Amino acid sequence: MSGKVWQRGTTPDDINQKCLQLCADYLGGIWHKLTTDDIEVKILSGGLTNQLYYCGLNEEHRKLVTTEPQEVAIRLYQKKYFNNYDTNDKSERLSDTIIALITSHKNLGPKIYGLFESGQIMAYYQHRVFSSEDERDVQMVTKLAHKLAAIHSLEVPLKLSHNWIVDSYDHFFHLSKQRFDLNSMFNEYDLETLKTHDLSEEIQWMKELILATDSPVTFAHNDFSENNIMVTKSNDIVVCDYEYSCRGYRGYDFGSLLLVWRRNRCEIRKPHEFPDDHTLRQLIEPYIEESVKLNGNEFLKDKRNSVESMLREVKAGTERMTEPKEINTDFSSIKWERGQTPDNIKDRCFDLCRHYLGDVWLNVTIDDIEVKRLSGGLTNQLYYCALNEDHRNTDEEVPQEVAIRLYGGKHFNNYDKQVNERLSDTIVSLLVSEHNLGPKIYGLFESGQILKYYKHKSFRKDEQKDEKLVKELAKKLAKIHALDVPIKRTGNWIFETFDAFYGSANKNYDMKALINECNCETLKMYDLKAEVDWLKDLITKTDSPITFTHVDFRGSNIMITESNGIVLCDFEYACYDYRGYDIGTIFAEWGKGLADIPKPQDFPSDSTFKPFIDSYINESMNLLGKQFSEDKRNSFDHILKEGKIFNLVSNMFFANEAIVVGMPFDKKKAMVF
């Protein structure tokens, strides 16, 4: 079997062009200037589920000094054989996106350069697989044990309630009976073991043994074999292929690894000589040591985490446990409405908290919780969900109150109109949560998010006068603009949106009649299309750097919390574009309260913005060093200029949006812009 090529499907004829376009979109830089003649593309392995390609610059182009990676691995998704995350979820790749980001950020998986609906762009590693020689190297085994402990310690916002192994046994056995006459097959291939033992009874025995073993439920890799453990040239270990990862028994990862311990592929069909206790201790003891470092002494208080107990676990011990209760809710049938609060919103929020938070939420009834609407927003619905006071406990690990965001349709998709408009939400929300810039994420599902609930006030006129808060906000914005986010770096959503909104406004209304009816003096004197074109030209001349941007950086999305400092929210339109848009958006609100929004702005003096801009520059230099300081566009004067120009852009954007977005249209109110 060692010579077998694992490949699924055929290589597309246009694979070179497809890989080049992906690299241009997500890596940018030199990749924009290349043709397919300048790159090398080759299949690495088709795998059993995906296709994996190497894409690199030709040798002559590698001599150029670039900041972009010169070679990458591109994974193109194929259909999964089974979805062990959520069989009711339409998007079987949602968990892949979540897990790829977190394992990349924690240095437990390949570095991610791009995530798109049909695949991933990852760092390419020259490596060997974890071999029988590595298994005899105590230092390498220790490294591997530490990696596995870190994987099992991850907090991943996926469902907590799941038992995919038992479900899969039943599913596969049922399918095999449908497709084949099993007894005839056993006789035809002379399968002695299966001729003498009933397969159904063996499966039932194995299911009972799994439950009896009482293996802790953690985040698990679920395909932790040598082929997915890369040993790099520097002898670092990178674990890959997390596509079947989910909450499950940690013992499955140990079992998958030990199944091939000190065997190569040629020996896979031979009877297995299971490692002795001395060999197992070399893996288990450093695993426990690293787990204590990551989780504290609480880890050792669980008797299942002793060396002796784990020895029994990896061998499948015989201690009994009660079968866990399964929670079955068909989320695909839930219709998340926008506008009116659904009648059964309390049931929906309760089910979500049980699935993703577990613990005390599994021991209460719907009468023991409170649900109320926080805001419907212009795009989403947001709800507060909390345990009643008499059911709260002191366990800070399990949230007692959360915010649940249910997606509505976006008014515009400024990320990529050809893909799922919520893909970027998943990517961005995870990253800003990991970097403590946005709300902590407890759960991500296809139609929304479960977030930490913060008691807070918004950043308004009074907060703008607090220099300490202003400086903290500027530092947060600098950190956002310094983020490396694996989404497309191409496109110009501001220009495209201006054109789209203007086109929709003229299609839906007689603009001249509307302007006269609402007595819009400015628009009577100036042609709106000419103003839009003038502003687009001004944007280009301003030469604002392209960074990752929030795009809706206004006071209502800046939470001043009671104990967590400033937390930014509503990143759903975030993308790569002009950083000046964020600066201009917050400047457009400076010195104004909500009641002042329709009024002309008395724009503050330059000195008003000095604390903000100085703090932004200092933090950016701390984060980016010379890369930032040597760019002349990062001077105080240039950033101030960006803020003023994009203040106009922000106002123009909302003037257009007020007319065309899908909400009840009140002419008098909308046209005040």
Side-chain angles (χ1 to χ4, degrees), residues 46-59:
L48 294 180
T49 306
N50 305 302
Q51 291 188 341
L52 188 66
Y53 294 93
Y54 167 88
C55 183
L57 303 179
N58 290 343
E59 287 300 326

Side-chain angles (χ1 to χ4, degrees), residues 474-657:
K475 289 180 179 180
K476 291 282 186 180
L477 185 59
K479 289 176 180 177
I480 290 172
H481 290 172
L483 281 177
D484 184 10
V485 183
I487 60 176
K488 278 190 177 181
R489 298 172 187 240
T490 55
N492 191 341
W493 77 269
I494 296 177
F495 286 13
E496 292 169 359
T497 305
F498 275 174
D499 292 339
F501 280 179
Y502 181 79
S504 295
N506 278 280
K507 180 180 178 181
N508 295 334
Y509 308 103
D510 180 338
M511 289 300 294
K512 287 187 177 180
L514 185 61
I515 289 168
N516 286 325
E517 180 182 349
C518 297
N519 196 27
C520 301
E521 293 295 338
T522 302
L523 292 177
K524 285 181 180 181
M525 297 168 56
Y526 297 94
D527 179 72
L528 181 58
K529 180 65 168 63
E531 293 297 302
V532 169
D533 289 341
W534 172 82
L535 191 53
K536 286 161 63 176
D537 183 57
L538 187 60
I539 290 170
T540 303
K541 291 177 179 177
T542 303
D543 194 21
S544 177
I546 301 294
T547 68
F548 179 71
T549 53
H550 185 287
V551 178
D552 198 12
F553 195 66
R554 59 189 65 258
S556 55
N557 294 330
I558 301 166
M559 298 188 289
I560 314 299
T561 69
E562 293 183 354
S563 56
N564 295 92
I566 291 178
V567 178
L568 307 174
C569 61
D570 286 359
F571 282 82
E572 64 184 342
Y573 292 110
C575 65
Y576 276 90
D577 217 299
Y578 301 112
R579 73 170 177 199
Y581 191 80
D582 282 346
I583 299 170
T585 299
I586 193 65
F587 281 10
E589 291 189 343
W590 216 269
K592 298 170 70 173
L594 289 175
D596 303 321
I597 292 297
K599 301 175 184 177
Q601 184 178 16
D602 184 10
F603 201 76
S605 65
D606 293 356
S607 61
T608 302
F609 297 118
K610 185 170 176 52
F612 182 90
I613 295 175
D614 284 347
S615 182
Y616 176 90
I617 291 173
N618 290 335
E619 184 67 13
S620 297
M621 289 178 66
N622 289 336
L623 295 167
L624 303 170
K626 287 185 177 181
Q627 178 187 342
F628 185 86
S629 61
E630 292 179 354
D631 189 333
K632 294 180 180 179
R633 296 174 298 176
N634 295 326
S635 67
F636 175 88
D637 289 339
H638 197 283
I639 294 174
L640 179 63
K641 177 183 175 183
E642 289 177 50
K644 292 178 178 180
I645 298 300
F646 280 90
N647 168 45
L648 301 176
V649 177
S650 179
N651 283 310
M652 178 65 82
F653 176 83
F654 282 98
N656 280 274
E657 185 188 35

Side-chain angles (χ1 to χ4, degrees), residues 433-446:
S433 175
E434 287 288 326
H435 286 84
N436 295 316
L437 294 172
K440 180 175 175 60
I441 297 287
Y442 294 122
L444 287 167
F445 46 100
E446 194 172 19

